[in-house]
Amino acid sequence: MESSCAMSAADTRQTPLISVILPTHNCESFLGEAVMSVLRQTYPHWELWVVDDGSTDGTPALMASFTARDERIHYIPLPKQPSSAGSAVRNVALTHARGDYVAYLDSDDVFYPDALETLLAALRDCPDKVVAKGFYNTIDERGRPLRNVGVDLLTLPSGETVLPPGFCYDWLTVLDVRFPCQLGTGLYRRSLLDELGPFREDLTHSDDFEYFVKIFQRYPQGVAVLPRYVLGYRIQPNALTKDPQKAQALVSCHLRVLDDIFAPEFGLPPQAQALRSLVTLYFFRRVARNQLNLNRPQLARALALQARRRPDVDKTAWLRAFWGVYSQTFFPSGFYQSLAGLNREVRLMAQGLRYASPLTRQTTVST
């Protein structure tokens, strides 16, 4: 295992401390890989706070081996918290964190080796930004790449990675989760987190989504978006959307968050308020597509019909958004996966051709 890096006081002043917060619960099989991904960072001046939400597996023994070998790693065991989403655990960890910057990592995900260095460089180069945010790749239990469910970056012949043509970090991107609000893809100034306050502990899901909405509401020009993959996001067999009951719990919780943020007292600007129907549709469509990808066409169909019955959804907009997804729920199992893979290859090819044209190389990000 890598040893901690000795640094002089002068070096420490030049290399600010990053606090990495890692909540965990009964994730022994992946936790070691997550911790090792922090140890392998090219940026050395970090501290890791692993806060255990009442694990009953071998997590305590595993973490004892890590804390004994590297003084930058800290382990805090807690009784099981009421929230299963990690909100309470993250809030506890933040009270211990000493860094000028904070990063989050789920216990089944992994940082790529230069993640912290890349994100920190962006914030230090742009003092007016409060968050530096990259992207994630989807991986399986063994760390092998899967068909990406996030944003596909483009790799030019030169090897440079660029954003898809036309990508813009605006209210529609934030609210409809086209730019997934995965906490682990960002590095946050501690001053921002102190200003926003703790994560909501009454939410079992979508607390991170609400957090990103609050950030963009306060700092619409404060997010530096980097065309870099910084995180491996793991899809497990027992993932949330594989359980029909948990998938519906996700829907209920996210709709509750939408009700909260679109309430007048939340204070969204008019351009964001106008997106309510569209955002609701896009959310339902995303979850329904996930169920199709998991060969659950009946649940996907039920989600589509649930979206249609909502009073805040325009029926014409529903037809435009759902005709493809709804019709595919009647096809044989596995049809959607094959079609989605083909559509992705065609889309990436088209984007690559567009980016190659000097008339369309205007990919921008609102920052």
Side-chain angles (χ1 to χ4, degrees):
M1 180 179 296
E2 289 85 343
S3 61
S4 59
C5 298
M7 306 184 71
S8 68
D11 290 335
T12 301
R13 287 194 297 270
Q14 294 301 317
T15 53
L17 180 65
I18 295 177
S19 296
V20 180
I21 291 176
L22 195 163
T24 189
H25 173 69
N26 286 344
C27 198
E28 177 189 6
S29 56
F30 298 116
L31 178 60
E33 189 176 350
V35 173
M36 287 301 299
S37 77
V38 179
L39 281 163
R40 291 176 177 139
Q41 289 299 298
T42 55
Y43 184 80
H45 195 43
W46 49 261
E47 61 173 7
L48 173 61
W49 292 92
V50 178
V51 184
D52 185 357
D53 187 14
S55 291
T56 56
D57 60 3
T59 293
L62 174 66
M63 289 310 306
S65 68
F66 278 113
T67 56
R69 298 181 186 184
D70 196 303
E71 62 184 10
R72 295 172 295 176
I73 300 175
H74 310 275
Y75 174 62
I76 304 177
L78 298 176
K80 185 71 179 75
Q81 302 298 299
S83 171
S84 62
S87 303
V89 179
R90 284 195 294 265
N91 290 338
V92 169
L94 192 59
T95 65
H96 292 271
R98 300 166 296 182
D100 303 300
Y101 302 87
V102 175
Y104 293 98
L105 180 65
D106 287 345
S107 55
D108 55 350
D109 296 338
V110 292
F111 280 143
Y112 294 143
D114 63 347
L116 297 183
E117 181 179 11
T118 299
L119 295 170
L120 177 62
L123 285 180
R124 299 187 80 178
D125 289 344
C126 304
D128 59 322
K129 306 301 181 186
V130 294
V131 179
K133 190 157 170 50
F135 295 79
Y136 67 75
N137 273 324
T138 310
I139 59 176
D140 67 8
E141 307 104 280
R142 299 182 181 180
R144 298 172 300 192
L146 295 171
R147 182 173 62 82
N148 205 19
V149 297
V151 176
D152 286 305
L153 301 178
L154 302 179
T155 302
L156 302 181
S158 63
E160 177 189 5
T161 306
V162 296
L163 295 167
F167 182 93
C168 184
Y169 192 51
D170 56 13
W171 271 115
L172 182 58
T173 305
V174 173
L175 290 172
D176 79 357
V177 203
R178 286 185 298 173
F179 185 31
C181 53
Q182 226 296 338
L183 286 171
T185 60
L187 183 66
Y188 311 83
R189 294 190 189 275
R190 176 60 186 263
S191 57
L192 168 69
L193 303 185
D194 291 340
E195 177 185 345
L196 291 177
F199 289 90
R200 285 178 57 177
E201 297 183 12
D202 61 322
L203 296 173
T204 55
H205 313 298
S206 299
D207 54 320
D208 51 352
F209 167 71
E210 187 209 42
Y211 216 67
F212 273 101
V213 172
K214 287 181 178 179
I215 292 173
F216 195 69
Q217 180 186 26
R218 298 192 187 199
Y219 298 98
Q221 308 297 321
V223 181
V225 180
L226 310 180
R228 295 285 295 275
Y229 291 118
V230 297
L231 182 78
Y233 175 66
R234 196 183 307 272
I235 303 295
Q236 296 186 47
N238 62 344
L240 172 69
T241 49
K242 283 187 176 290
D243 185 328
Q245 291 183 339
K246 289 185 177 180
Q248 191 57 58
L250 166 64
V251 170
S252 299
C253 198
H254 194 84
L255 292 176
R256 178 183 165 197
V257 172
L258 288 180
D259 287 339
D260 290 345
I261 66 176
F262 280 104
E265 56 269 23
F266 193 87
L268 287 183
Q271 66 267 33
Q273 289 281 358
L275 299 171
R276 174 66 190 262
S277 176
L278 195 60
V279 165
T280 303
L281 273 176
Y282 283 172
F283 169 71
F284 270 102
R285 186 174 65 181
R286 179 170 64 92
V287 180
R289 281 175 169 169
N290 285 344
Q291 295 305 316
L292 278 176
N293 201 42
L294 296 167
N295 295 324
R296 297 186 186 275
Q298 293 85 1
L299 183 53
R301 191 181 312 142
L303 288 165
L305 294 176
Q306 183 181 349
R308 189 180 186 280
R309 290 191 294 266
R310 284 188 60 85
D312 58 344
V313 166
D314 177 80
K315 300 306 182 285
T316 302
W318 179 90
L319 186 62
R320 288 196 300 267
F322 265 100
W323 73 268
V325 172
Y326 185 73
S327 62
Q328 289 172 62
T329 65
F330 295 95
F331 283 85
S333 177
F335 174 82
Y336 175 78
Q337 288 180 316
S338 300
L339 185 62
L342 177 62
N343 286 342
R344 176 175 180 265
E345 294 303 322
V346 171
R347 173 173 52 80
L348 290 176
M349 184 181 300
Q351 288 179 348
L353 292 173
R354 285 180 59 199
Y355 208 98
S357 169
L359 297 179
T360 58
R361 285 200 61 173
Q362 298 181 17
T363 300
T364 59
V365 178
S366 296
T367 56

